[in-house]
């Protein structure tokens, strides 16, 4: 029997590696087709909509079945259209309903109010801050309850061409060495002349003035040159001797809120830290207006056409060496690795913390967390919680190797250090709010950012967004009190002036 079980496991792993997808079926799953002992185990069905997860989930289902004699996982790939409605219908009308399902954190309020999510078992103990980033914990918190398990995340941060910065570091150090060598030679010459040992025509050479430039020295200079804020990128652009192929020092998708939100994320409050409280909404304030003025001012430094830019183009230009700095999500790491593997890229890249705006204005990026939810209508809640904990405690790094996702907890063994940097950025990010009343905010903010980038008034544009969202929240027409316009010169001067705070 043990030999037969091992053969079955090998078949399932092979299916996973071949990318065989498991679709929702009314009769039985592929796991029931091949498992000789499935009827002796409790089946925990896990619905998901992203087919890139299939190899990972299937491999973990096999591993769980081998180590657990009572429970097996059945991953089921389903359509993402009307996802919650399909979960609800299956839970009420069908036998093959999901005990678990994966969904983004911004849909958790809707799921909970529909009875499709329940408070997880021992949530405060399992979701400890030593294991899960604060953003992950906030993303699954609703009205003080932990109603899901943080599985994986997406966020954005600053990416830079490490090769360019290393080359610049070498040039800088070599210039300093050459300068020091010249000064030393001059001092020796003057000293010899004073002592009468050398005529003005004689030549003096110095030894050991040109030390070897090591990789450690280069890394140190690169680290010191990384921008703490956007102002530093502007200063970098003024002094950078760019290679011929570089078309832009800094470029990002100015039309997508996911890559723009960091401009206002430190000062805009939508639902509090957990994004679940409509009494805590502050969109229109002097700080957000000031940040949008800074954003608009950047258009004169980085001439990005909002009508022709998109994320895919930005990423491709960056990989091609046409851009030095950009804002990107975790998916760029695999795209870079693929380009290098195919011989289409010979640059090295790295991820840095999201920079602030100026010495006076900080930043905070947005994140979305995909969560594993225990179906509130499941008859196997205990087993479902155990499976969710198993998946959200996986430190193997397989979630990235097989699924291309970055886990929403610490301690994962990634081969790429840049992924760990993304985890650090995610920890301090703003999770997408759960409140149903603010679901239109991201579309309206995206439109507002584009308008402001193209020159429309920052103050009135943000006021319009505030009034639209608050009308949805209150259910009645809402008029915001107009705020005085912050002084343009005082705000945008920080983009170019030197500041001791940046040293």
């Amino acid at each position: 029997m043990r030999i037969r079980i091992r053969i079955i496991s090998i078949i399932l792993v092979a299916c996973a590696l071949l990318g065989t997808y498991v679709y929702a079926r009314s009769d039985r799953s592929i796991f029931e087709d091949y498992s000789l002992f499935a009827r002796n185990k409790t089946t925990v069905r896990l619905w998901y909509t992203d087919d890139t997860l299939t190899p990972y989930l299937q491999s973990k289902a096999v591993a769980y079945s081998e180590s657990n004699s009572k429970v097996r996982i059945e991953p089921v790939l389903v359509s993402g259209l009307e996802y919650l409605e399909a979960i609800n219908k299956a839970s009420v009308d069908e036998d093959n309903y999901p005990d678990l399902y994966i969904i983004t954190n911004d849909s958790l309020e809707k799921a909970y109010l529909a009875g499709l999510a329940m408070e997880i078992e021992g949530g405060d103990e399992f979701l400890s801050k030593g294991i899960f980033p604060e953003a992950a914990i906030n993303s699954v918190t609703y009205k003080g309850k932990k109603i899901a398990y943080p599985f994986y995340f997406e966020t954005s941060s600053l990416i830079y061409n490490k090769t360019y910065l290393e080359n610049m570091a070498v040039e800088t150090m070599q210039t300093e060495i050459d300068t020091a060598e010249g000064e030393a030679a001059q001092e020796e010459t003057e000293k010899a002349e004073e002592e009468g040992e050398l005529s003005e025509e004689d030549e003096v050479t110095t030894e050991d003035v040109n030390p070897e430039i090591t990789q450690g020295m280069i890394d140190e200079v690169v680290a010191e040159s990384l921008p703490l804020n956007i102002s530093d990128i502007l200063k970098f652009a003024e002094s950078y001797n760019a290679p011929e192929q570089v078309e832009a020092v800094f470029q990002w998708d100015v039309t997508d809120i996911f890559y723009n939100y960091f401009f206002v994320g430190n000062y805009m409050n939508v639902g509090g830290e957990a994004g679940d409280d409509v009494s805590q909404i502050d969109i229109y304030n002097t700080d957000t207006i000031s940040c949008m003025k800074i954003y608009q001012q950047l258009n004169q430094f980085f001439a990005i056409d909002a009508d022709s830019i998109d994320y895919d183009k930005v990423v491709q230009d960056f990989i091609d060496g046409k851009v030095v700095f950009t804002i990107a999500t975790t998916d760029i790491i695999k795209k870079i690795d693929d380009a290098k593997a195919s011989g289409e890229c010979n640059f090295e890249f790295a991820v840095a913390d999201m920079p602030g705006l100026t010495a006076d204005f900080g930043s905070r990026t947005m994140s979305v967390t995909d969560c594993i939810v225990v179906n509130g209508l499941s008859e196997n809640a205990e087993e479902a919680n155990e499976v969710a904990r198993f998946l959200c405690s996986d430190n193997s790094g397989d979630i990235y190797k097989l699924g291309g996702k970055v886990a929403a907890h610490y301690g994962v063994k990634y081969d790429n250090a840049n992924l760990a940097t993304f985890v650090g950025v995610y920890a301090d990010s703003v999770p997408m709010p759960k409140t149903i009343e603010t679901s239109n905010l991201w579309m309206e903010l995206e439109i507002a950012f584009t308008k402001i980038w193209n020159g429309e008034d920052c103050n009135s544009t943000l006021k319009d967004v505030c009034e639209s969202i608050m009308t949805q929240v209150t259910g009645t027409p809402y008029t915001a009190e107009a705020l005085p316009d912050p002084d343009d010169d005082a705000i945008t001067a920080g983009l170019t002036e030197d500041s001791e705070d940046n040293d």
Side-chain angles (χ1 to χ4, degrees), residues 105 134-135 138-139 141 143 261 265 267-283 364 429-435 438 441-442:
N105 69 284
E134 186 172 1
N138 287 335
S139 72
T141 301
K143 306 300 182 184
Y261 190 75
Y267 308 100
M268 187 174 286
N269 185 0
V270 186
E273 286 299 315
D276 60 352
D277 186 358
V278 292
S279 69
Q280 297 187 55
I281 295 181
D282 185 12
I283 298 170
R364 197 175 174 198
S429 65
V430 181
M432 285 275 282
K434 309 172 184 66
T435 49
T438 60
L441 173 62
W442 315 112

Side-chain angles (χ1 to χ4, degrees), residues 123-143:
D124 290 335
E125 179 183 354
F126 181 74
L127 299 174
S128 66
K129 290 186 178 180
I131 299 176
F132 289 88
E134 186 172 1
I137 298 173
N138 287 335
S139 72
V140 298
T141 301
Y142 179 72
K143 306 300 182 184

Side-chain angles (χ1 to χ4, degrees), residues 212-224:
E212 180 183 0
I213 298 176
T214 66
Q215 185 61 46
M217 295 166 61
I218 296 172
D219 291 342
E220 184 177 350
V221 174
V222 168
E224 292 174 351

Side-chain angles (χ1 to χ4, degrees), residues 62-84:
V62 171
Y64 195 76
S65 183
E66 289 181 337
S67 63
N68 192 303
S69 61
K70 297 180 179 180
V71 179
R72 74 186 188 97
I73 307 171
E74 181 184 315
V76 183
L77 177 65
V78 300
S79 170
L81 298 175
E82 299 183 346
Y83 186 40
L84 277 177

Side-chain angles (χ1 to χ4, degrees), residues 172-345:
T172 299
M173 286 187 287
Q174 189 60 57
T175 298
E176 292 174 352
I177 289 170
D178 292 344
T179 300
E181 182 181 40
E183 291 175 350
Q186 181 63 32
E187 290 177 1
E188 288 293 326
T189 300
E190 293 175 353
K191 181 179 178 181
E193 289 178 347
E194 290 175 359
E195 295 175 354
E197 299 176 357
L198 184 73
S199 66
E200 293 185 1
E201 291 78 15
D202 291 330
E203 181 179 357
V204 172
T205 60
T206 59
E207 298 179 358
D208 300 326
V209 178
N210 193 351
E212 180 183 0
I213 298 176
T214 66
Q215 185 61 46
M217 295 166 61
I218 296 172
D219 291 342
E220 184 177 350
V221 174
V222 168
E224 292 174 351
S225 68
L226 292 179
L228 298 179
N229 49 52
I230 303 298
S231 304
D232 291 338
I233 296 180
L234 290 173
K235 295 169 189 172
F236 176 94
E238 292 174 356
S239 61
Y240 182 49
N241 183 21
E244 184 177 352
Q245 67 267 31
V246 172
E247 297 178 359
V249 168
F250 185 35
Q251 187 179 80
W252 74 102
D253 185 357
V254 297
T255 67
D256 192 321
I257 188 61
F258 211 76
Y259 308 104
N260 277 328
Y261 190 75
F262 78 97
F263 280 94
V264 294
N266 207 40
Y267 308 100
M268 187 174 286
N269 185 0
V270 186
E273 286 299 315
D276 60 352
D277 186 358
V278 292
S279 69
Q280 297 187 55
I281 295 181
D282 185 12
I283 298 170
Y284 176 59
N285 55 64
T286 54
D287 284 333
T288 56
I289 296 170
S290 296
C291 290
M292 292 311 299
K293 284 179 174 289
I294 292 172
Y295 173 77
Q296 187 176 67
Q297 186 75 3
L298 291 178
N299 196 356
Q300 78 175 38
F301 296 106
F302 308 109
I304 303 172
D305 186 356
D307 294 329
S308 61
I309 199 73
D310 63 61
Y311 180 68
D312 289 338
K313 181 181 185 304
V314 169
V315 169
Q316 190 57 56
D317 285 351
F318 184 70
I319 291 175
D320 291 341
K322 298 178 181 178
V323 179
V324 182
F325 297 98
T326 191
I327 304 294
T329 37
T330 62
D331 61 291
I332 196 173
I333 303 298
K334 186 177 186 305
K335 292 177 180 178
I336 290 172
D337 289 342
D338 289 346
K340 292 172 71 172
S342 64
E344 298 176 0
C345 174

Side-chain angles (χ1 to χ4, degrees), residues 476-498:
T476 58
Y478 180 89
T479 301
E481 181 180 352
L483 296 173
D485 213 34
D487 181 66
D488 288 1
D489 293 336
I491 296 167
T492 59
L495 292 177
T496 54
E497 286 184 350
D498 292 332

Side-chain angles (χ1 to χ4, degrees), residues 451-464:
K451 288 181 177 179
I452 289 172
W453 183 259
N454 290 330
E456 295 197 22
D457 182 68
C458 300
N459 193 322
S460 60
T461 301
L462 274 179
K463 182 173 180 292
D464 290 344

